[in-house]
């Protein structure tokens, strides 16, 4: 995959500055310099998700941070988002935009209308209360100068999202996964069609399933995008009626927008978030999942089935939340960068066989009791080195760790 392709997707749109899992080689790792900490001006909000791309057309990598509605405040306002424009030399200008969103679950920067400017695709989990904001996925068209237009609802309801060309027609499609998989095929204008629906978990009548994440890649080498869905279950209407379960469903794509049971049986674990990346050097995408206080790797057998490779713990008492995979230290093997609770971040050097070494602590937002919500890896400075970025919960900070010589 060339530089600029998302590490999470196979037919994902190019995201300038985001490194492929192992395609971007770096000469050395020097993340120990003082981090660049950017106040995203979330104010009363809770910074949840981050995406990167050149949104103003100047060749530098910018950030868009989704801000949740912080219900802990006495007078909460709509969450909106923050646009963080880079000057290419380590400086950033921030503009916060208020919008009628409650809780940004995910943010993607992709060109869905094919006008050459990156657009925002954001999933809002909504709020049934005061205020009453319905869950939905929105598209905000980019103007190519760092601004974005009014949001348009392209899918009603909550869900984990992926944006990719799943039917091979050259246009980006929208995949939304909640209690079922819904694929809306794009026409290249920013509009999406009626959903193509697939099930991904067969459960007893009193259980419902909630998707934790959605990951697309060609798992079995047949040329079609396949889908991996980490999920949790709960009893409904009474959650106390049965213990919740967690698992990861593997679905084979038909190349036309439909998904069915994959070659591999579901991988049962306790996932929080996951990544697909080749961590053992066999050119097959493997699954790296955060769970409890570490990460678990499941190696792909080449046919879309997964087996457990190993578990890599974080220090005692620290919990993993999200992981990103890239060759950060430049030794030719992919490493894992993990965000966690209480503002912790860690780098785990890869061994090349799907396992990772002991964690090294990374700065997130300067400390404080806050969740390091999201983590990205990529060449943010254009110097062919993998940098790291965290966005940190109530700290309302974007922390960029520049991999300098």
């Amino acid at each position: 995959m060339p530089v600029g392709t998302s590490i999470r997707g196979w037919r994902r749109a190019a995201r300038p500055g985001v490194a492929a899992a192992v395609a971007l080689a770096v000469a050395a790792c020097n993340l120990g310099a003082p981090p660049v900490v950017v106040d995203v001006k979330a104010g009363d909000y809770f910074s949840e998700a981050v995406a990167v791309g050149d949104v103003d057309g100047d060749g530098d990598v910018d950030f868009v941070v989704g801000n949740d509605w912080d219900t802990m405040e006495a007078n909460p306002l709509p969450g909106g988002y923050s646009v963080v424009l880079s000057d290419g030399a380590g400086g950033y200008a921030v503009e916060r935009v208020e919008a009628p969103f409650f809780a940004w679950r995910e943010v993607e920067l992709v060109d869905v209308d094919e006008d050459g400017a990156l657009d925002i695709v954001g999933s809002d989990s909504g709020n049934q209360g005061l205020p009453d904001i319905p869950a939905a996925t929105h598209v905000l068209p980019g103007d190519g100068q760092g601004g974005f237009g009014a949001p348009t609802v392209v899918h009603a309801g909550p869900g984990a999202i992926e944006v990719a060309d799943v039917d091979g027609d050259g246009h980006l499609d929208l995949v939304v996964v909640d209690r079922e998989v819904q694929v809306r095929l794009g026409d290249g204008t920013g509009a999406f069609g009626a959903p193509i629906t697939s099930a991904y978990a067969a459960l007893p009548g009193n259980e419902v399933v909630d998707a934790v994440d959605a990951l697309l890649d060609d798992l079995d080498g047949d040329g079609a995008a396949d889908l991996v869905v980490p999920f949790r279950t709960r009893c409904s209407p009474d959650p106390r009626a049965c213990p919740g379960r967690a698992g990861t469903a593997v679905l084979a794509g038909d190349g036309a927008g439909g998904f069915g049971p994959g070659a591999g049986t579901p991988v049962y674990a306790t996932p929080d978030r996951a990544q697909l990346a080749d961590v053992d050097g066999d050119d097959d995408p493997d699954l790296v999942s955060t769970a409890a206080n570490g990460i678990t790797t499941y190696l792909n057998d080449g046919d879309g089935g997964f087996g457990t490779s190993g578990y890599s713990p974080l220090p005692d008492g620290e919990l993993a939340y999200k992981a990103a995979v890239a060759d950060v230290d430049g030794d030719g093997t992919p490493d894992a960068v993990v965000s966690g609770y209480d503002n912790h971040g860690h780098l785990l050097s890869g061994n090349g066989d799907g396992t990772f070494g002991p964690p090294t602590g990374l700065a997130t937002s300067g400390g404080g009791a806050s969740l390091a919500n999201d983590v990205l890896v990529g060449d943010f400075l254009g110097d062919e080195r993998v940098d790291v970025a965290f966005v940190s919960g109530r700290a309302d900070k974007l922390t960029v760790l520049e991999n300098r010589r």
Side-chain angles (χ1 to χ4, degrees), residues 10-374:
W10 162 69
R11 285 182 174 172
R12 296 286 294 274
R15 289 165 173 77
V18 180
V22 292
L24 180 59
V26 294
C29 178
N30 182 18
L31 296 174
V36 178
V37 180
V38 183
D39 185 348
V40 298
K41 300 181 180 180
D44 293 341
Y45 311 132
F46 187 95
S47 300
E48 174 68 20
V50 61
V52 300
D54 181 9
V55 300
D56 57 359
D58 64 354
D60 301 320
V61 175
D62 310 305
F63 298 84
V64 171
V65 179
N67 299 323
D68 283 6
W69 196 314
D70 193 339
T71 54
M72 299 299 291
E73 299 295 331
N75 298 298
L77 297 172
Y81 58 94
S82 297
V83 180
V84 183
L85 299 180
S86 170
D87 63 8
Y92 297 92
V94 181
E95 179 183 3
R96 191 190 77 194
V97 180
E98 291 188 0
F101 305 125
F102 182 78
W104 286 77
R105 177 173 180 166
E106 291 183 71
V107 178
E108 305 278 1
L109 280 173
V110 288
D111 183 10
V112 295
D113 54 10
E114 301 177 13
D115 64 352
L118 292 177
D119 312 306
I120 295 175
V121 181
S123 173
D124 181 7
S125 60
N127 181 49
Q128 304 303 316
L130 295 174
D132 188 6
I133 298 177
T137 297
H138 302 82
V139 170
L140 290 74
D143 62 11
Q145 301 178 46
F148 297 89
T152 299
V153 174
V154 293
H155 177 84
I161 62 172
E162 279 277 52
V163 182
D165 178 14
V166 298
D167 62 350
D169 66 351
H171 304 308
L172 291 175
D173 309 308
L174 175 65
V175 179
V176 182
V177 187
D178 185 35
R179 295 178 184 175
E180 58 188 2
V181 179
Q182 297 192 59
V183 178
R184 294 179 179 268
L185 301 181
D187 63 7
T189 69
F192 298 91
I196 301 170
T197 302
S198 306
Y200 68 91
L203 300 172
N206 65 335
E207 283 189 76
V208 296
V209 63
D210 298 307
V212 174
D213 213 339
L215 309 169
L216 286 170
D217 211 325
D218 182 6
L219 302 178
D220 51 11
D222 67 352
D226 306 307
L227 180 65
V228 175
V229 183
F231 65 86
R232 297 189 186 97
T233 71
R234 55 187 170 85
C235 276
S236 178
D238 183 4
R240 298 167 297 178
C242 63
R245 296 184 292 159
T248 303
V250 180
L251 304 176
D254 62 9
F259 292 93
T265 56
V267 180
Y268 285 99
T270 309
D272 210 327
R273 295 293 190 272
Q275 287 284 330
L276 287 171
D278 177 17
V279 295
D280 60 355
D282 64 357
D283 293 328
D284 296 319
D286 308 304
L287 182 66
V288 179
S289 174
T290 58
N293 72 321
I295 58 175
T296 301
T297 305
Y298 302 91
L299 296 183
N300 189 340
D301 63 9
D303 294 319
F306 292 92
T308 303
S309 170
Y311 176 75
S312 303
L314 297 184
D316 289 345
E318 298 189 18
L319 299 177
Y321 186 59
K322 289 188 179 181
V325 179
D327 182 11
V328 179
D329 57 16
D331 64 354
T333 59
D335 312 305
V337 181
V338 181
S339 68
Y341 296 84
D342 292 330
N343 249 338
H344 292 134
H346 295 278
L347 170 65
L348 291 80
S349 294
N351 297 319
D353 59 358
T355 63
F356 298 90
T360 299
L362 298 175
T364 53
S365 67
S370 177
L371 170 63
N373 285 84
D374 210 348

